[in-house]
Amino acid sequence: MNQNLDFELIQSVRNVLESEFSTKELSEACDVSQTTINELRSGKRELRKTSLQNALSLYHFACRNEMNAEHIMENEKKGKFSTIPLNLSVSKVLVSFENLDLFAYGVLKQSYNDAEFPNRKDRLENLHLSTAVFITKDGKIYNCEEFGYTFNCRYNGAGPNNLVRFLQKFSNLDEAQLSQVIHANSVVEYDFQTDTIAGYPSLIEGQPITLLSFNEKLIIMLNKYENSSLKKWKESVTLESAPSDILFLTNTLEENYKLSAKIKAIYHIPKNAQNEQYSLSQLPRFQRPNNGIQIVIEYEDFEIWLPYKIYQAKGDIFENEEMNLFLNGLGITYNPEKKNFIQTLLDSKEPIDKISTLPVYYEDEL
């Protein structure tokens, strides 16, 4: 007999014989005589010398009642996994309900299907983010779908219950404890090293932004600020809250991704001046704002785009009251060049049909 199988069988039968089940109960359940069970329990008969049929009957009883050696050993391991083997040493699993929450919490990982197609040069790419990742002991991030796992949270359904069942294999926490956290929270983190599970609130609900990439540069498009005439009947959109939204995003990128939040320049791009990149023609039609991209904030490692149209046809767009409030909200003071009366008058009649650029300088750079 295989040595491992031999151990499993003998140890499992011993577990049954040493259990609190009465001899009568075992005899009736296993179809083994009470005399045989008594002799096995007292040591009068050696376990190895009993018939294979009796041994298998007792072993199957052990399996049905979770007393077989393999099950007990697996239970003893629960809560003691510092990592789990999936051809890599996984130390954490992180799952979110909202598409953008892992990004907000510092995990930017493309979905498994996207990862198969690298970014193409001079091509605007839509980033589809993963909502369930394994994190290894050395900090590497892998999409759970890559290993055949579909996890979710914040509701009682297939995805969240897949996560519950998966964690039950490794955790001392019972099903109720795992379900309570997984079903009730927008973001769930399980740590194999400490055998702990934690739930967190959503930071970005819905789809207020779209993450894009152009030549490996991250671009964040603020969808909620599209104010085209087609959307005006739905809601009133202004730039008033844009600076606080932008500050949240730049803080996230600075703190979690170590990207500089210093603004290099701000561009105003009239629709008729938009090139192929800013017109978003490379994106699916349903993802293109009707205004295109009219305000671009350029940082060292990323850009923030707003599909917001400022309704001014002539003059200096950066002197526009709405634009000025927006700049002030970003901590930027616009100081236009001093011009004489005639030049000011001429400029005020100049149509806004070209890209306007506002370089941004900081005191420590002057």
Side-chain angles (χ1 to χ4, degrees):
M1 184 182 289
N2 179 285
Q3 190 173 0
N4 290 335
L5 184 59
D6 191 23
F7 171 82
E8 165 72 7
L9 179 65
I10 291 173
Q11 188 58 49
S12 299
V13 173
R14 281 179 181 158
N15 292 339
V16 171
L17 296 173
E18 294 170 2
S19 71
E20 295 181 357
F21 286 96
S22 69
T23 297
K24 183 180 179 182
E25 287 173 326
L26 293 177
S27 176
E28 291 175 353
C30 303
D31 195 24
V32 177
S33 71
Q34 292 189 39
T35 301
T36 299
I37 292 173
N38 280 330
E39 288 179 350
L40 289 170
R41 279 183 151 172
S42 66
K44 189 174 180 180
R45 180 184 300 197
E46 289 186 25
L47 185 54
R48 289 180 180 276
K49 292 184 178 180
T50 192
S51 70
L52 180 60
Q53 183 178 347
N54 286 343
L56 288 175
S57 294
L58 291 164
Y59 174 70
H60 292 149
F61 180 86
C63 292
R64 291 195 301 272
N65 290 275
E66 298 183 345
M67 290 189 291
N68 56 306
E70 183 180 10
H71 178 81
I72 291 173
M73 288 173 68
E74 288 299 318
N75 268 347
E76 288 175 350
K77 290 179 184 177
K78 286 184 177 182
K80 298 177 182 177
F81 292 87
S82 59
T83 61
I84 62 169
L86 291 172
N87 294 325
L88 59 148
S89 295
V90 175
S91 62
K92 290 183 180 181
V93 59
L94 196 59
V95 178
S96 72
F97 176 80
E98 298 286 356
N99 290 332
L100 292 161
D101 269 336
L102 291 194
F103 159 73
Y105 277 98
V107 177
L108 179 58
K109 182 68 177 176
Q110 285 183 257
S111 67
Y112 181 43
N113 290 334
D114 272 14
E116 295 177 342
F117 303 98
N119 286 345
R120 288 164 285 185
K121 184 175 173 58
D122 298 329
R123 177 79 182 176
L124 191 63
E125 303 282 355
N126 195 338
L127 300 183
H128 300 281
L129 303 187
S130 174
T131 56
V133 296
F134 291 124
I135 302 177
T136 64
K137 204 169 183 178
D138 58 359
K140 292 181 180 177
I141 302 169
Y142 295 86
N143 195 307
C144 292
E145 289 183 357
E146 192 174 341
F147 299 90
Y149 295 105
T150 305
F151 298 144
N152 211 322
C153 58
R154 210 175 81 178
Y155 68 99
N156 185 354
N161 291 329
N162 286 343
L163 180 58
V164 171
R165 285 190 291 270
F166 173 78
L167 294 179
Q168 278 186 287
K169 299 176 185 177
F170 308 102
S171 176
N172 264 326
L173 301 172
D174 61 30
E175 181 179 355
Q177 291 172 304
L178 293 170
S179 297
Q180 184 178 11
V181 176
I182 291 169
H183 292 166
N185 288 280
S186 293
V187 178
V188 172
E189 179 184 40
Y190 177 80
D191 190 323
F192 291 96
Q193 298 183 72
T194 58
D195 190 26
T196 55
I197 189 167
Y200 303 97
S202 174
L203 295 180
I204 304 179
E205 292 197 5
Q207 199 70 28
I209 66 174
T210 297
L211 297 185
L212 306 164
S213 174
F214 187 80
N215 289 340
E216 298 187 355
K217 188 174 190 178
L218 178 65
I219 294 165
I220 304 175
M221 181 166 66
L222 275 61
N223 306 321
K224 64 185 283 188
Y225 292 101
E226 182 182 358
N227 66 334
S228 70
S229 56
L230 294 177
K231 290 216 168 187
K232 276 190 170 181
W233 64 274
K234 288 185 179 179
E235 56 186 310
S236 177
V237 181
T238 70
L239 279 179
E240 187 176 354
S241 62
S244 61
D245 287 342
I246 291 168
L247 182 62
F248 166 77
L249 291 169
T250 54
N251 283 343
T252 296
L253 292 171
E254 192 169 40
E255 292 172 11
N256 296 331
Y257 301 95
K258 310 306 177 189
L259 301 181
S260 172
K262 277 190 172 183
I263 298 173
K264 292 177 64 179
I266 295 178
Y267 304 92
H268 176 261
I269 308 168
K271 192 168 185 179
N272 63 314
Q274 291 169 3
N275 57 28
E276 187 178 357
Q277 177 185 349
Y278 291 128
S279 70
L280 303 179
S281 61
Q282 299 175 58
L283 293 179
R285 187 171 296 278
F286 70 90
Q287 292 177 341
R288 303 178 203 167
N290 292 292
N291 290 335
I293 298 302
Q294 300 220 4
I295 299 174
V296 171
I297 309 172
E298 182 187 15
Y299 300 81
E300 188 70 37
D301 303 302
F302 62 95
E303 294 179 2
I304 293 179
W305 293 0
L306 287 84
Y308 189 88
K309 180 177 181 179
I310 294 178
Y311 290 88
Q312 177 175 319
K314 297 179 180 180
D316 186 345
I317 193 67
F318 293 113
E319 289 190 316
N320 174 278
E321 182 179 357
E322 195 172 17
M323 175 66 89
N324 228 258
L325 289 172
F326 173 68
L327 295 176
N328 289 338
L330 294 175
I332 297 171
T333 302
Y334 179 50
N335 294 313
E337 294 180 14
K338 290 185 178 180
K339 302 172 185 176
N340 59 38
F341 174 78
I342 295 177
Q343 187 61 50
T344 301
L345 182 63
L346 291 173
D347 287 350
S348 68
K349 297 181 180 297
E350 190 72 22
I352 301 174
D353 56 5
K354 297 177 182 178
I355 296 177
S356 302
T357 304
L358 175 63
V360 177
Y361 302 100
Y362 293 82
E363 289 184 0
D364 59 353
E365 297 172 344
L366 298 175

